[in-house]
Amino acid sequence: MTSSPSAASSTSAQSDLLDQSALRTLAERLVEAARKAGADAADAIAVRGVSQGVEVRDGRVEESERSEGDDVGLRVLVGRRQAVVSTNDVSGDGVARLAERAVAMARVAPDDKFVGLADPALLARDIPELDLLDPKIPSTAELERRAQEAEAAAVAVKGVTKSGGASASAGIGGMVLVTSDGFHGAYLRSSQSISTTAISGEGTGMERDYDYTAAPHGADLLAPEAVGRSAGERAVARANPRKVATCQVPVVFDPRVSGSLVGHLVGAINGASIARKTSFLKDKLGAQLFAKGIRIIDDPLRRRGLRSQPFDAEGVKVKQTALVDDGVLTTWLLDSGTARELGLVTTGHAHRGVSSSPSPGPFNLHLEAGVVTAKELISDIKQGFYVTDLIGSGVNGVTGDYSRGASGFWIENGEIGYAVSEVTIAGHLFEIFKSMTPASDLEFRYGVNAPTVRIEGLTLGGR
């Protein structure tokens, strides 16, 4: 069997994308050049990004684009002074010039007693295989097919009046990290997605909804038809929404939005906010914030996870962590800098772009499932609200006050009934966390996952 020139070229191009040896060599040269230029310590990251995507509307391709590039960032330390520089062009003697510029910047930077590389004892020595890379990169034609099939399934739903468009994308991203303390690490991860938007009704009575699927491997995506059908059914269900009077009722969050509650917790326990004392949870480490039995997990090592990675942006070993265990807040999210500022040890949560220094952040988050079904969770609610969509970002991380626009469905006598729109949910995150009850329907579809969640006694602002 022989390959055509075009097929051979395609195979070669794909092999080049998956080969990080040149990026590794570049990062090593940057660190070496920084030391020669006078840096006491340095680290370099090289980031690869390749993406392609298509958008369709009414069965026709509206846009098709592809981007590809490598970027590098160099962080240097001179004493307790730090500078970060980045570029996507280090041709010729660019490596030496970049290093010299970074060292010169560091020498005039202000002192910061918390900067520095990670403790060598905490660095990852064994890089785990997390199966993050799908070796089969879909062609543009395959992406068009996925988007068109998703859109066709959406408009086929009875009651859908038009398409809001559909898209499909695929990409490869990866990072090489080299430090002057001897760490060398690299990983690649792929990403694929399909999304669809459907519209029901006419004129001022139109309602819009969507659905999407995303995963590192194409085999883990929902079928395009399932994505489209779900978007269409959601749009039709939202038709003819009503307004409700202001009241205080149980509020149930659909899994598509319940993960936002986990996100608010994680934002408040970020080490940077704790160090600045700008979090309403700054004094709550070890406190019982949730009911007993509640566990919130951060897992960077989940196989084929959307946000998985084998080490953090400082090269520190990562591990699964229960941020909340049996309702108790157990930890902050820390990188080395915020850990030093707080007198603690990094939790391996450093993230970084090529033009920024490390800062803490989460990986794959989830709220563990409860024991009751979603149907049982709402069965005793005489009057309540089932949230399917949240609008705006009215959450104050300093005070914990919570206020967000929402739409969804009214619950009456334990059943989900008519559509509701233009309401505001208000409360305080302390009370929200304390009364949270999860259902048993946890699925791992997003970067932050949670089952259906019930919250007691929130204020619903309506007409």
Short mmCIF file of all heavy atoms in Angstrom, two decimals, residues 175-221:
data_model
loop_
_atom_site.label_atom_id
_atom_site.label_comp_id
_atom_site.label_asym_id
_atom_site.label_seq_id
_atom_site.Cartn_x
_atom_site.Cartn_y
_atom_site.Cartn_z
N MET A 175 2.49 22.17 26.62
CA MET A 175 3.45 23.02 27.30
C MET A 175 4.73 22.27 27.58
O MET A 175 4.70 21.08 27.92
CB MET A 175 2.87 23.54 28.61
CG MET A 175 3.77 24.50 29.36
SD MET A 175 3.03 25.16 30.87
CE MET A 175 3.35 23.83 32.01
N VAL A 176 5.84 22.95 27.41
CA VAL A 176 7.14 22.47 27.86
C VAL A 176 7.60 23.41 28.95
O VAL A 176 7.51 24.64 28.80
CB VAL A 176 8.16 22.46 26.71
CG1 VAL A 176 9.56 22.16 27.23
CG2 VAL A 176 7.77 21.45 25.65
N LEU A 177 8.06 22.88 30.07
CA LEU A 177 8.56 23.68 31.17
C LEU A 177 9.96 23.21 31.54
O LEU A 177 10.18 22.02 31.77
CB LEU A 177 7.63 23.58 32.38
CG LEU A 177 8.11 24.23 33.69
CD1 LEU A 177 8.22 25.75 33.52
CD2 LEU A 177 7.18 23.90 34.84
N VAL A 178 10.88 24.15 31.60
CA VAL A 178 12.26 23.87 32.01
C VAL A 178 12.65 24.89 33.07
O VAL A 178 12.39 26.09 32.90
CB VAL A 178 13.23 23.97 30.80
CG1 VAL A 178 14.67 23.81 31.27
CG2 VAL A 178 12.88 22.91 29.76
N THR A 179 13.24 24.44 34.16
CA THR A 179 13.68 25.35 35.21
C THR A 179 15.17 25.19 35.45
O THR A 179 15.77 24.15 35.16
CB THR A 179 12.94 25.08 36.54
OG1 THR A 179 13.49 23.92 37.16
CG2 THR A 179 11.45 24.88 36.31
N SER A 180 15.76 26.23 36.02
CA SER A 180 17.19 26.17 36.33
C SER A 180 17.50 25.24 37.49
O SER A 180 18.66 24.93 37.76
CB SER A 180 17.71 27.58 36.64
OG SER A 180 16.99 28.17 37.71
N ASP A 181 16.47 24.76 38.19
CA ASP A 181 16.66 23.78 39.24
C ASP A 181 16.68 22.35 38.70
O ASP A 181 16.76 21.39 39.47
CB ASP A 181 15.53 23.88 40.28
CG ASP A 181 15.76 25.03 41.24
OD1 ASP A 181 16.90 25.53 41.31
OD2 ASP A 181 14.81 25.43 41.94
N GLY A 182 16.55 22.22 37.38
CA GLY A 182 16.69 20.90 36.78
C GLY A 182 15.41 20.21 36.37
O GLY A 182 15.43 19.07 35.91
N PHE A 183 14.25 20.90 36.49
CA PHE A 183 13.01 20.27 36.06
C PHE A 183 12.85 20.38 34.54
O PHE A 183 13.06 21.44 33.96
CB PHE A 183 11.80 20.93 36.72
CG PHE A 183 10.48 20.34 36.29
CD1 PHE A 183 9.99 19.19 36.88
CD2 PHE A 183 9.74 20.92 35.27
CE1 PHE A 183 8.79 18.63 36.48
CE2 PHE A 183 8.53 20.38 34.86
CZ PHE A 183 8.06 19.23 35.46
N HIS A 184 12.49 19.26 33.91
CA HIS A 184 12.16 19.22 32.49
C HIS A 184 10.86 18.44 32.35
O HIS A 184 10.81 17.25 32.69
CB HIS A 184 13.25 18.52 31.67
CG HIS A 184 14.55 19.25 31.62
ND1 HIS A 184 15.34 19.43 32.73
CD2 HIS A 184 15.19 19.86 30.59
CE1 HIS A 184 16.43 20.11 32.39
NE2 HIS A 184 16.36 20.39 31.11
N GLY A 185 9.81 19.07 31.89
CA GLY A 185 8.54 18.38 31.73
C GLY A 185 7.80 18.89 30.51
O GLY A 185 7.99 20.03 30.09
N ALA A 186 6.96 18.04 29.94
CA ALA A 186 6.19 18.42 28.77
C ALA A 186 4.93 17.58 28.70
O ALA A 186 4.90 16.44 29.16
CB ALA A 186 7.01 18.24 27.49
N TYR A 187 3.88 18.16 28.14
CA TYR A 187 2.68 17.39 27.84
C TYR A 187 1.95 18.02 26.68
O TYR A 187 2.12 19.20 26.37
CB TYR A 187 1.75 17.28 29.06
CG TYR A 187 1.18 18.59 29.54
CD1 TYR A 187 0.00 19.09 29.00
CD2 TYR A 187 1.81 19.32 30.54
CE1 TYR A 187 -0.53 20.30 29.43
CE2 TYR A 187 1.28 20.53 30.98
CZ TYR A 187 0.12 21.01 30.43
OH TYR A 187 -0.41 22.20 30.85
N LEU A 188 1.14 17.21 26.02
CA LEU A 188 0.25 17.67 24.95
C LEU A 188 -1.16 17.22 25.27
O LEU A 188 -1.36 16.15 25.86
CB LEU A 188 0.67 17.08 23.60
CG LEU A 188 1.79 17.76 22.82
CD1 LEU A 188 2.18 16.90 21.63
CD2 LEU A 188 1.37 19.15 22.36
N ARG A 189 -2.13 18.03 24.88
CA ARG A 189 -3.51 17.61 25.07
C ARG A 189 -4.33 18.12 23.90
O ARG A 189 -4.10 19.21 23.37
CB ARG A 189 -3.99 18.12 26.42
CG ARG A 189 -5.10 19.07 26.44
CD ARG A 189 -5.52 19.41 27.85
NE ARG A 189 -5.12 20.75 28.21
CZ ARG A 189 -4.81 21.14 29.42
NH1 ARG A 189 -4.80 20.28 30.41
NH2 ARG A 189 -4.49 22.38 29.67
N SER A 190 -5.27 17.30 23.47
CA SER A 190 -6.16 17.69 22.38
C SER A 190 -7.49 18.15 22.97
O SER A 190 -7.81 17.91 24.13
CB SER A 190 -6.38 16.52 21.42
OG SER A 190 -6.78 15.35 22.11
N SER A 191 -8.27 18.83 22.14
CA SER A 191 -9.60 19.26 22.54
C SER A 191 -10.51 19.25 21.32
O SER A 191 -10.08 19.61 20.22
CB SER A 191 -9.57 20.68 23.14
OG SER A 191 -9.08 21.60 22.19
N GLN A 192 -11.73 18.79 21.52
CA GLN A 192 -12.72 18.77 20.46
C GLN A 192 -14.06 19.19 21.04
O GLN A 192 -14.36 18.91 22.21
CB GLN A 192 -12.82 17.38 19.82
CG GLN A 192 -11.52 16.91 19.19
CD GLN A 192 -11.66 15.62 18.40
OE1 GLN A 192 -12.67 15.42 17.70
NE2 GLN A 192 -10.67 14.75 18.50
N SER A 193 -14.88 19.85 20.23
CA SER A 193 -16.18 20.31 20.74
C SER A 193 -17.19 20.44 19.61
O SER A 193 -16.83 20.59 18.45
CB SER A 193 -16.04 21.65 21.46
OG SER A 193 -15.72 22.68 20.53
N ILE A 194 -18.46 20.39 20.00
CA ILE A 194 -19.59 20.63 19.11
C ILE A 194 -20.60 21.46 19.89
O ILE A 194 -20.87 21.17 21.06
CB ILE A 194 -20.27 19.32 18.67
CG1 ILE A 194 -19.27 18.35 18.04
CG2 ILE A 194 -21.43 19.59 17.71
CD1 ILE A 194 -19.82 16.93 17.90
N SER A 195 -21.14 22.49 19.28
CA SER A 195 -22.16 23.29 19.95
C SER A 195 -23.24 23.71 18.96
O SER A 195 -22.99 23.83 17.77
CB SER A 195 -21.54 24.53 20.60
OG SER A 195 -21.02 25.41 19.63
N THR A 196 -24.43 23.92 19.49
CA THR A 196 -25.58 24.30 18.66
C THR A 196 -26.47 25.26 19.43
O THR A 196 -26.65 25.12 20.64
CB THR A 196 -26.44 23.07 18.30
OG1 THR A 196 -25.62 21.97 17.98
CG2 THR A 196 -27.37 23.38 17.14
N THR A 197 -27.05 26.21 18.72
CA THR A 197 -28.04 27.12 19.29
C THR A 197 -29.32 27.02 18.47
O THR A 197 -29.27 26.99 17.23
CB THR A 197 -27.54 28.57 19.29
OG1 THR A 197 -26.34 28.65 20.05
CG2 THR A 197 -28.58 29.51 19.87
N ALA A 198 -30.44 26.94 19.15
CA ALA A 198 -31.74 26.85 18.48
C ALA A 198 -32.66 27.95 18.98
O ALA A 198 -32.52 28.43 20.11
CB ALA A 198 -32.38 25.48 18.73
N ILE A 199 -33.61 28.36 18.15
CA ILE A 199 -34.54 29.45 18.47
C ILE A 199 -35.96 28.96 18.26
O ILE A 199 -36.27 28.34 17.23
CB ILE A 199 -34.27 30.68 17.59
CG1 ILE A 199 -32.84 31.19 17.83
CG2 ILE A 199 -35.28 31.79 17.85
CD1 ILE A 199 -32.39 32.23 16.83
N SER A 200 -36.82 29.23 19.22
CA SER A 200 -38.25 28.93 19.08
C SER A 200 -39.04 30.23 19.09
O SER A 200 -38.56 31.26 19.56
CB SER A 200 -38.72 28.02 20.22
OG SER A 200 -38.62 28.69 21.46
N GLY A 201 -40.25 30.19 18.58
CA GLY A 201 -41.11 31.37 18.59
C GLY A 201 -40.78 32.34 17.46
O GLY A 201 -39.90 32.11 16.64
N GLU A 202 -41.53 33.44 17.43
CA GLU A 202 -41.38 34.46 16.39
C GLU A 202 -41.35 35.84 17.01
O GLU A 202 -41.91 36.07 18.09
CB GLU A 202 -42.56 34.38 15.40
CG GLU A 202 -42.68 33.06 14.65
CD GLU A 202 -41.64 32.89 13.56
OE1 GLU A 202 -40.91 33.87 13.27
OE2 GLU A 202 -41.53 31.79 13.01
N GLY A 203 -40.73 36.80 16.31
CA GLY A 203 -40.74 38.19 16.72
C GLY A 203 -40.24 38.39 18.14
O GLY A 203 -39.20 37.86 18.54
N THR A 204 -41.00 39.17 18.93
CA THR A 204 -40.60 39.44 20.31
C THR A 204 -40.81 38.24 21.21
O THR A 204 -40.40 38.26 22.38
CB THR A 204 -41.41 40.62 20.88
OG1 THR A 204 -42.80 40.33 20.80
CG2 THR A 204 -41.12 41.90 20.10
N GLY A 205 -41.43 37.19 20.69
CA GLY A 205 -41.66 35.99 21.49
C GLY A 205 -40.62 34.92 21.27
O GLY A 205 -40.81 33.76 21.68
N MET A 206 -39.51 35.27 20.62
CA MET A 206 -38.49 34.26 20.37
C MET A 206 -37.73 33.91 21.65
O MET A 206 -37.45 34.77 22.48
CB MET A 206 -37.50 34.75 19.30
CG MET A 206 -38.08 34.80 17.90
SD MET A 206 -36.81 35.03 16.62
CE MET A 206 -36.17 36.65 17.06
N GLU A 207 -37.38 32.65 21.77
CA GLU A 207 -36.56 32.15 22.88
C GLU A 207 -35.39 31.36 22.31
O GLU A 207 -35.55 30.65 21.31
CB GLU A 207 -37.37 31.28 23.83
CG GLU A 207 -38.47 32.02 24.59
CD GLU A 207 -37.92 33.02 25.59
OE1 GLU A 207 -36.78 32.80 26.07
OE2 GLU A 207 -38.61 34.00 25.89
N ARG A 208 -34.27 31.47 22.95
CA ARG A 208 -33.03 30.84 22.46
C ARG A 208 -32.45 29.93 23.54
O ARG A 208 -32.51 30.24 24.73
CB ARG A 208 -32.04 31.95 22.12
CG ARG A 208 -30.66 31.48 21.66
CD ARG A 208 -29.71 32.68 21.62
NE ARG A 208 -30.22 33.75 20.78
CZ ARG A 208 -29.87 33.94 19.50
NH1 ARG A 208 -28.99 33.12 18.95
NH2 ARG A 208 -30.38 34.93 18.81
N ASP A 209 -31.90 28.80 23.12
CA ASP A 209 -31.15 27.96 24.05
C ASP A 209 -30.10 27.19 23.27
O ASP A 209 -30.08 27.23 22.03
CB ASP A 209 -32.06 27.01 24.84
CG ASP A 209 -31.53 26.79 26.26
OD1 ASP A 209 -30.30 26.65 26.42
OD2 ASP A 209 -32.34 26.75 27.20
N TYR A 210 -29.27 26.48 23.97
CA TYR A 210 -28.10 25.86 23.35
C TYR A 210 -27.75 24.56 24.05
O TYR A 210 -28.27 24.23 25.12
CB TYR A 210 -26.89 26.80 23.44
CG TYR A 210 -26.39 26.94 24.87
CD1 TYR A 210 -25.35 26.15 25.34
CD2 TYR A 210 -27.00 27.84 25.76
CE1 TYR A 210 -24.92 26.26 26.66
CE2 TYR A 210 -26.58 27.95 27.06
CZ TYR A 210 -25.53 27.16 27.52
OH TYR A 210 -25.12 27.25 28.82
N ASP A 211 -26.83 23.83 23.46
CA ASP A 211 -26.15 22.74 24.15
C ASP A 211 -24.80 22.54 23.49
O ASP A 211 -24.57 23.01 22.36
CB ASP A 211 -26.95 21.44 24.12
CG ASP A 211 -26.59 20.52 25.30
OD1 ASP A 211 -25.62 20.84 26.03
OD2 ASP A 211 -27.26 19.49 25.48
N TYR A 212 -23.90 21.89 24.19
CA TYR A 212 -22.58 21.64 23.62
C TYR A 212 -21.96 20.43 24.28
O TYR A 212 -22.42 19.96 25.33
CB TYR A 212 -21.67 22.86 23.79
CG TYR A 212 -21.16 23.09 25.19
CD1 TYR A 212 -19.91 22.63 25.60
CD2 TYR A 212 -21.93 23.80 26.12
CE1 TYR A 212 -19.44 22.85 26.88
CE2 TYR A 212 -21.47 24.02 27.40
CZ TYR A 212 -20.23 23.55 27.78
OH TYR A 212 -19.78 23.77 29.06
N THR A 213 -20.94 19.91 23.65
CA THR A 213 -20.15 18.81 24.20
C THR A 213 -18.69 19.10 23.93
O THR A 213 -18.35 19.65 22.87
CB THR A 213 -20.59 17.47 23.59
OG1 THR A 213 -19.80 16.41 24.13
CG2 THR A 213 -20.42 17.45 22.07
N ALA A 214 -17.84 18.75 24.88
CA ALA A 214 -16.41 18.99 24.72
C ALA A 214 -15.64 17.89 25.42
O ALA A 214 -16.05 17.41 26.49
CB ALA A 214 -16.02 20.35 25.30
N ALA A 215 -14.53 17.48 24.83
CA ALA A 215 -13.70 16.42 25.40
C ALA A 215 -12.35 16.42 24.70
O ALA A 215 -12.23 16.89 23.56
CB ALA A 215 -14.37 15.05 25.23
N PRO A 216 -11.31 15.89 25.35
CA PRO A 216 -10.02 15.76 24.67
C PRO A 216 -10.08 14.79 23.50
O PRO A 216 -9.41 15.00 22.47
CB PRO A 216 -9.08 15.25 25.76
CG PRO A 216 -9.72 15.69 27.05
CD PRO A 216 -11.19 15.58 26.79
N HIS A 217 -10.85 13.71 23.63
CA HIS A 217 -10.93 12.69 22.59
C HIS A 217 -12.27 12.76 21.87
O HIS A 217 -13.33 12.89 22.50
CB HIS A 217 -10.78 11.29 23.21
CG HIS A 217 -9.38 10.95 23.60
ND1 HIS A 217 -8.64 10.00 22.93
CD2 HIS A 217 -8.58 11.42 24.58
CE1 HIS A 217 -7.45 9.91 23.50
NE2 HIS A 217 -7.39 10.76 24.51
N GLY A 218 -12.23 12.66 20.56
CA GLY A 218 -13.45 12.69 19.77
C GLY A 218 -14.42 11.59 20.16
O GLY A 218 -15.64 11.78 20.11
N ALA A 219 -13.90 10.43 20.58
CA ALA A 219 -14.77 9.31 20.94
C ALA A 219 -15.61 9.60 22.18
O ALA A 219 -16.62 8.93 22.41
CB ALA A 219 -13.93 8.06 21.16
N ASP A 220 -15.20 10.59 22.98
CA ASP A 220 -15.92 10.90 24.21
C ASP A 220 -16.96 12.01 24.03
O ASP A 220 -17.66 12.38 24.98
CB ASP A 220 -14.94 11.32 25.31
CG ASP A 220 -14.01 10.18 25.71
OD1 ASP A 220 -14.40 9.01 25.54
OD2 ASP A 220 -12.90 10.47 26.19
N LEU A 221 -17.05 12.57 22.83
CA LEU A 221 -18.07 13.59 22.56
C LEU A 221 -19.45 12.96 22.48
O LEU A 221 -19.60 11.81 22.06
CB LEU A 221 -17.78 14.30 21.24
CG LEU A 221 -16.51 15.15 21.14
CD1 LEU A 221 -16.32 15.62 19.71
CD2 LEU A 221 -16.58 16.34 22.09
#
